[in-house]
Amino acid sequence: MDSEIDHYAILGLPSGEDGAKLSEKEISKAYKFKALELHPDKRPNDPNAHTNFQRLKTSYEILKDDKARKLFDELLSIKRDKHRREAQYDTKRRKMMSDLEERERASFTVDPSVRAREEEERISKKLKEEIARVRAMHANKTNSSSSTPKEETGSKKDGMSGGAGLDKDKVLKVSWERGGKDYSAQRLRELFEKFGDVEDVVIKGSKKRGSALVVMASKDAANAATGSVSGDLSNPLLVLPLQSARTAEFPTSSKPAEDDSSKLGNLVGAGYQAFEDSVLEKLKKAAQRQP
């Protein structure tokens, strides 16, 4: 739960009142030090290296944002006061406080503990909203930095499909509608990592349809993901092996005439496009029918 995470501790900084006094420069310095320590390239044998590094980046983004950090400091202050009060109460005092609170509730007086709990919930809710905002802002920055011109994307596609040493059985073609919730390279990586390591994700597509090539680390992981990944219910994914997708899009024949080959490629490509449209439409209708 995000509201239970101590973002100062994630960066190796003192928390509580000491953490609230830290300057932005001290926080940035601590983040750089931790980033060097937790970077996945330096922990190739750690299966949680990527998750830990992402958590470090999220904590840094929250502490770097003035509004989110202020809410987080307020939440920590309320929790410290709560723990301090609880540590001071012995059994007899708890009984006395319980009787007093009962009388206050009976006389329509606002219960201090209820008020404190409501205030804590209110700040926790605001903190979650700020964390979501910071993450969304960070995701937009990541998407904008990872997006490439069409020429560059095309070169990556050619390198992926024709490069020596690449096992095409590990490559999946993923499609989705642009009208619904869009998918970033990071989001696709998170979905497919449930079935095995992901070596690369290349975003392609047009204004109406999004698509990507996902390179899994093994054939077994690619086979497991093919029939299992569905994405978000509001905009499901169509996942096909690259081999079968390319077979449908680019059929081969023995020395056909140049004009006939071009026409046949366009005709079959259009048929595969219609097949994708049909499957995606069925997936969306099935998702809408689910409670």
Side-chain angles (χ1 to χ4, degrees):
M1 185 176 179
D2 291 330
S3 60
E4 299 297 330
I5 296 176
D6 190 339
H7 300 291
Y8 290 107
I10 296 296
L11 270 68
L13 294 169
S15 186
E17 297 177 355
D18 293 334
K21 297 176 182 178
L22 292 171
S23 65
E24 185 175 348
K25 184 177 180 180
E26 292 174 314
I27 293 174
S28 298
K29 182 178 179 181
Y31 167 72
K32 292 177 182 178
F33 179 82
K34 274 290 184 181
L36 291 174
E37 177 185 346
L38 299 179
H39 198 280
D41 291 344
K42 293 192 175 183
R43 296 171 173 264
N45 298 324
D46 185 2
N48 298 320
H50 180 73
T51 301
N52 292 336
F53 187 72
Q54 289 299 323
R55 184 172 61 176
L56 175 67
K57 291 174 65 178
T58 298
S59 295
Y60 174 63
E61 291 293 334
I62 291 169
L63 295 180
K64 189 174 67 172
D65 188 280
D66 292 338
K67 190 174 180 181
R69 182 185 177 187
K70 183 177 179 181
L71 285 171
F72 179 65
D73 289 337
E74 289 180 6
L75 181 62
L76 288 181
S77 178
I78 289 177
K79 288 184 176 181
R80 287 196 303 272
D81 292 340
K82 179 181 178 181
H83 293 159
R84 193 179 297 117
R85 288 196 306 270
E86 290 177 350
Q88 293 174 350
Y89 293 160
D90 55 12
T91 304
K92 184 180 293 186
R93 181 165 294 183
R94 286 194 186 122
K95 180 65 169 61
M96 293 173 60
M97 290 297 298
S98 177
D99 294 341
L100 176 60
E101 290 170 0
E102 189 66 30
R103 289 195 297 271
E104 288 177 344
R105 281 193 294 268
S107 61
F108 301 100
T109 303
V110 178
D111 188 350
S113 63
V114 173
R115 178 183 296 174
R117 184 169 61 253
E118 290 175 350
E119 182 69 9
E120 180 180 349
E121 291 174 355
R122 183 184 68 80
I123 295 180
S124 295
K125 182 179 179 181
K126 278 193 174 182
L127 178 59
K128 289 179 182 179
E129 293 173 354
E130 289 303 315
I131 290 174
R133 179 181 65 81
V134 171
R135 283 180 173 173
M137 181 174 62
H138 181 66
N140 290 336
K141 290 181 181 179
T142 303
N143 291 340
S144 61
S145 63
S146 62
S147 61
T148 56
K150 291 184 178 180
E151 293 79 9
E152 183 179 349
T153 303
S155 65
K156 284 188 177 181
K157 177 180 176 183
D158 295 341
M160 183 175 291
S161 60
L166 177 64
D167 191 346
K168 297 179 181 178
D169 290 336
K170 300 189 299 182
V171 183
L172 301 173
K173 180 174 181 181
V174 186
S175 305
W176 65 90
E177 293 291 342
R178 287 288 193 190
K181 182 177 181 180
D182 206 1
Y183 293 90
S184 63
Q186 181 61 32
R187 175 60 176 152
L188 291 175
R189 182 180 291 274
E190 292 174 355
L191 288 172
F192 282 86
E193 280 181 343
K194 298 176 182 177
F195 305 93
D197 292 337
V198 177
E199 294 182 353
D200 197 8
V201 177
V202 180
I203 297 289
K204 307 185 299 177
S206 61
K207 292 183 179 180
K208 294 184 178 181
R209 178 184 302 278
S211 63
L213 295 180
V214 179
V215 184
M216 303 300 292
S218 65
K219 296 180 182 179
D220 292 339
N223 292 334
T226 299
S228 302
V229 175
S230 61
D232 296 294
L233 293 179
S234 60
N235 193 8
L237 297 173
L238 173 62
V239 184
L240 294 173
L242 179 64
Q243 291 284 38
S244 62
R246 287 189 175 272
T247 301
E249 291 184 81
F250 305 106
T252 58
S253 57
S254 57
K255 297 183 180 180
E258 183 177 354
D259 292 341
D260 293 341
S261 174
S262 177
K263 293 178 181 179
L264 181 59
N266 292 334
L267 180 60
V268 175
Y272 180 73
Q273 186 76 13
F275 166 71
E276 278 191 334
D277 291 340
S278 174
V279 172
L280 284 171
E281 185 63 27
K282 290 179 180 179
L283 287 172
K284 292 182 72 175
K285 289 181 179 180
Q288 292 172 358
R289 287 195 297 268
Q290 292 184 357

